[in-house]
Amino acid sequence: MRIPWNIESHLRDEQVATEVADDVYQLCSTMTNMYLIEDDDGLTLVDAGLPAQMELLESGLDRIGAEVADIKAVILTHVDPDHMGLAEPLRKEGIPVWVPEEGYETALEGGHNPQLGSFLLLWRPAFARFIRALMKAGLMNVEPIAEAHTFTDGQVLPVPGQPKVIQTPGHRKEHCSFWMEESRILFGSDALLTMDIMSGKAVDPEPVRGGNLMNYNKEQQMESARKLATLGQVTLLPGHVDPWEGDLGELYPPAESEPSASPGPSVRDEGSVASSEPKTEQAKVEQ
């Protein structure tokens, strides 16, 4: 078997506020994405990348005629350090940060530590290069988030774009995706990637490889993939490298033997509106 020695060059391209859908912009460097949603109320930053990506964010804002003050919220799909690097610096500028309820305590601690098992995968050159690039961009120097709002499955966030939360555990226990039904935009983050991080090759959307060495629960990863597949035709915006358009249902049909128990909430259910009060403030009131 030939072992790839590098990551496909087009997957390493930088994107500076590239419009990937109407009023949605991709910011990508170090193969790691952030996205800006724009509407009449301002901007939402989806995922907060790595500490070294502040210059990328500022360049992207300048390209669309905006500035940091126009960002009204930062929303995180999960609290891995490569997706929360700018969250605390932006919070210090007065921008509210939102995190999944189950990831709140971890966010206060600076995000997940690397899973020890993942080090067993560093014999793969492409994966080792990917991790090295993340580390050079500040992976190990992410500031803990001092204060955050929280959300849960099915809620509609009161932020520009009003994305709906879809709980998609597997890569991480708290992982969520964001869905904008009218435009059929799915911010899938690390629920579905378009790059095999082990080989450095472009792929159709798939869960992060590496099994339970890299992920919280590989069975939940597939369950979440099938859950997202019920959305059908989407523009998928992953947490790393290239967006994708197509019918997820063709990639992840329902399992042949579905459990007879009543299903959980459908991703098509009407969502409730999340509270805009930071959880840390709620805790102070309760004391």
Side-chain angles (χ1 to χ4, degrees), residues 120-165:
L120 299 176
L121 301 170
L122 290 173
W123 66 271
R124 297 173 177 266
F127 178 63
R129 289 168 191 243
F130 175 65
I131 296 300
R132 180 171 179 266
L134 298 185
M135 294 185 71
K136 287 180 67 176
L139 182 68
M140 307 304 292
N141 298 307
V142 172
E143 293 183 69
I145 299 172
E147 177 181 273
H149 308 264
T150 61
F151 55 77
T152 57
D153 187 40
Q155 291 183 314
V156 176
L157 301 184
V159 302
Q162 295 189 311
K164 180 180 176 180
V165 178

Side-chain angles (χ1 to χ4, degrees), residues 171-191:
H171 176 59
R172 295 291 176 259
K173 182 179 181 180
E174 78 279 1
H175 194 290
C176 291
S177 301
F178 301 122
W179 173 235
M180 297 172 64
E181 184 171 11
E182 185 174 342
S183 53
R184 307 206 65 77
I185 296 169
L186 174 63
F187 297 91
S189 195
D190 288 359

Side-chain angles (χ1 to χ4, degrees), residues 60-82:
L61 290 168
D62 184 65
R63 179 167 290 187
I64 64 173
E67 53 190 30
V68 169
D70 295 317
I71 300 174
K72 304 306 178 186
V74 177
I75 60 175
L76 304 185
T77 55
H78 61 300
V79 291
D80 272 349
D82 57 327

Side-chain angles (χ1 to χ4, degrees), residues 89-102:
L90 292 173
R91 190 203 65 80
K92 291 176 179 177
E93 296 293 323
I95 301 169
V97 175
W98 294 76
V99 302
E101 174 74 34
E102 288 194 89

